[in-house]
Amino acid sequence: MSEHDMKLVVVGAAGRMGQTIIRVIQQTPGVKLHAAVERETSAFIGKDAGELAGAGFVGVPVTSDPLEAFLHADGVIDFSSPASTVNFAGLAAQARIVHVIGTTGCSEADEEKILAAARHARVVKSGNMSLGVNLLGVLAEQAARALPASGWDIEVLEMHHKHKVDAPSGTALLLGEAAAKGRGIALKEHSVRVRDGHTGAREAGTIGFATLRGGSVIGEHSVILAGEGELVTLSHSAQDRSIFARGAVAAALWAHPQKPGFYTMLDVLGLNH
Ligand SMILES: NC(=O)C1=CN([C@@H]2O[C@H](COP(=O)(O)OP(=O)(O)OC[C@H]3O[C@@H](n4cnc5c(N)ncnc54)[C@H](OP(=O)(O)O)[C@@H]3O)[C@@H](O)[C@H]2O)C=CC1
Ligand SMILES: O=C(O)C1=N[C@H](C(=O)O)C[C@H](O)C1
């Protein structure tokens, strides 16, 4: 470890992603764990963050005070919940530091507050921090551009573990947005997020979403382009949460020298053409 390492705070430190991120920080040159934050009511307050994550003792006790944690930090990695992410965005803006946001399920009002915070913080936000999914988004955009809407229907299918609380997943929406971009349409006006009962025939030009939940599935996503007599399926399968954590740490390092603003993983990965 060096004194020049980027000092990172992990919020939601005891969560599935929080623990994975702490382990990845311990393995990544150029970054160090500065603080780990959980709710005041968490049973993990005061426990060593490294031991909690199965990474061995690191000398960083879990705290419930984000203000103090952000004070001398360079960046925050945040996979928590929409309400807490909006709160952390305000604090990261005050501290003028990097805020990497993996939290999904944010409302439009939440997104506006995060955008406002990005006037002062360097925010990187994505529904999926993995290289593979971001490449899949680029491919979905290309496929949607190449195949005419009159003959090809687009459906996004996802499956996640039984603990997931938001639907469609952030990744499904990212992929839907990419396909909509390829088609030159606004996703909001053309998406079908639920089907139930006598729905009538499928409306041409819409982008449909289907959600499955169960077991311990980390994340399965497919973009299906359905034509007359043929299907094109583009898919990604997450086999380990470290793909998201590695992406988030890479995003923090990338954002450190950038100007304040709102960025996505496409910027980080150089896929934003
Ligand atoms: N963009 C990406 O690549 C990925 C995004 N995600 C997203 O990340 C988020 C977290 O996922 P996951 O780790 O599975 O969820 P978990 O529920 O396991 O973890 C979330 C953690 O955040 C904590 N938390 C919530 N509110 C606060 C708060 N105000 N202060 C401090 N800690 C808080 C929770 O505590 P408590 O249990 O007490 O509420 C919990 O420990 C989800 O939105 C998920 O969709 C997940 C994987 C990849
Ligand atoms: O909640 C999860 O677990 C995941 N959430 C993200 C999403 O909503 O797409 C990313 C990943 O698929 C895992």
Side-chain angles (χ1 to χ4, degrees):
M1 247 191 264
S2 124
E3 57 174 317
H4 303 296
D5 285 349
M6 186 177 184
K7 291 180 278 177
L8 294 176
V9 180
V10 176
V11 296
R16 281 174 286 273
M17 280 306 300
Q19 293 187 40
T20 313
I21 291 158
I22 290 169
R23 290 195 294 275
V24 166
I25 288 174
Q26 290 308 105
Q27 296 158 6
T28 308
V31 293
K32 68 176 164 210
L33 184 67
H34 178 71
V37 177
E38 263 294 331
R39 279 185 213 276
E40 216 167 19
T41 50
S42 167
F44 300 103
I45 301 299
K47 302 254 188 300
D48 184 76
E51 288 182 344
L52 160 67
F57 183 79
V58 294
V60 176
V62 178
T63 174
S64 61
D65 185 351
L67 201 60
E68 170 72 18
F70 290 15
L71 199 57
H72 300 293
D74 298 312
V76 181
I77 302 194
D78 178 355
F79 290 67
S80 58
S81 64
S84 53
T85 290
V86 167
N87 179 40
F88 294 139
L91 298 180
Q94 276 175 39
R96 304 285 197 267
I97 57 179
V98 168
H99 189 189
V100 176
I101 303 174
T103 308
T104 58
C106 293
S107 66
E108 276 182 36
D110 295 335
E111 299 287 357
E112 277 169 26
K113 289 177 190 151
I114 293 166
L115 266 179
R119 289 202 292 266
H120 302 294
R122 285 146 279 159
V123 175
V124 182
K125 184 172 186 294
S126 176
N128 198 301
M129 299 279 173
S130 75
L131 172 59
V133 157
N134 283 280
L135 175 66
L136 181 66
V138 172
L139 298 175
E141 182 185 333
Q142 288 175 353
R145 185 173 293 121
L147 300 171
S150 54
W152 291 82
D153 302 320
I154 300 179
E155 297 280 309
V156 182
L157 173 65
E158 57 113 333
M159 180 163 188
H160 283 87
H161 53 93
K162 62 187 173 193
H163 305 290
K164 186 160 178 63
V165 293
D166 56 307
S169 70
T171 309
L173 294 170
L174 175 161
L175 295 170
E177 288 286 0
K181 190 174 171 201
R183 286 242 163 121
I185 57 172
L187 180 64
K188 207 173 148 194
E189 287 153 26
H190 292 86
S191 70
V192 177
R193 291 172 59 148
V194 181
R195 293 191 183 103
D196 186 29
H198 188 86
T199 62
R202 192 184 194 286
E203 191 187 330
T206 54
I207 296 178
F209 290 86
T211 301
L212 308 180
R213 292 285 176 268
S216 59
V217 175
I218 293 177
E220 299 286 321
H221 291 92
S222 297
V223 179
I224 302 167
L225 299 108
E228 284 300 326
E230 54 184 331
L231 279 188
V232 176
T233 304
L234 304 170
S235 68
H236 180 270
S237 179
Q239 287 157 13
D240 192 312
R241 285 191 173 83
S242 63
I243 62 172
F244 314 127
R246 286 201 306 270
V249 171
L253 282 165
W254 176 88
H256 199 195
Q258 308 295 328
K259 285 190 282 204
F262 184 90
Y263 304 97
T264 73
M265 281 308 281
L266 294 178
D267 300 305
V268 175
L269 297 168
L271 294 170
N272 208 358
H273 299 301

